[in-house]
Amino acid sequence: ATQVLDAILAAREARSTDGAPAFDVVPRGCLSACERGPAVASNGSHGQALHPDVTPEGVAEILDVLLD
């Protein structure tokens, strides 16, 4: 999970550096997805979603769908 968080934070920093709109990272409690972790929850114009089995490489794909 730490590697996934690092990838998310790096993407947020890169967006900020490029002048793209930022996004928030909010620590959460249990997502009830331990068996499918690491998991990330998103909340935005698309609604709420749970993204299970996230890899550091998969972070970019999730963010592309959510932010572009």
Side-chain angles (χ1 to χ4, degrees), residues 28-56:
R28 299 293 304 220
C30 179
L31 297 175
S32 298
C34 291
E35 68 283 353
R36 301 209 42 216
V40 174
S42 64
N43 185 14
S45 61
H46 64 283
Q48 295 180 332
L50 178 68
H51 310 277
D53 301 316
V54 178
T55 64

